[in-house]
Amino acid sequence: MHTHKSTTYDLIVESESEDKNRALLETVIYALFILSAIVSIWQFVVQPIVVPSHTAGFASNQTQCVQGEI
């Protein structure tokens, strides 16, 4: 039975490989965060805005009765 003794070089090479995988995963996650923010902003940009009419229910167009005038 042969046991492998890890050297410092082996540990460094293994660590660099894990760092590359981690960096790739972080890049994908950050890209998804940025994309979701852009989509959220875009939803508000294209959402129609309903502005109430200025004449419907406007106070100066309505007649008011004072109780003494009836």
Side-chain angles (χ1 to χ4, degrees), residues 26-48:
E26 287 178 355
T27 302
V28 169
I29 291 173
Y30 287 136
L32 288 174
F33 281 144
I34 292 169
L35 182 64
S36 69
I38 291 170
V39 168
S40 297
I41 293 169
W42 183 249
Q43 283 180 324
F44 286 107
V45 168
V46 298
Q47 182 178 9

Side-chain angles (χ1 to χ4, degrees), residues 2-44:
H2 185 276
T3 59
H4 184 312
K5 184 176 181 181
S6 295
T7 63
T8 305
Y9 178 76
D10 290 337
L11 294 173
I12 291 173
V13 170
E14 184 179 329
S15 174
E16 288 176 0
S17 175
E18 290 175 0
D19 287 344
K20 288 179 185 177
N21 291 336
R22 180 178 176 202
L24 178 63
L25 181 63
E26 287 178 355
T27 302
V28 169
I29 291 173
Y30 287 136
L32 288 174
F33 281 144
I34 292 169
L35 182 64
S36 69
I38 291 170
V39 168
S40 297
I41 293 169
W42 183 249
Q43 283 180 324
F44 286 107

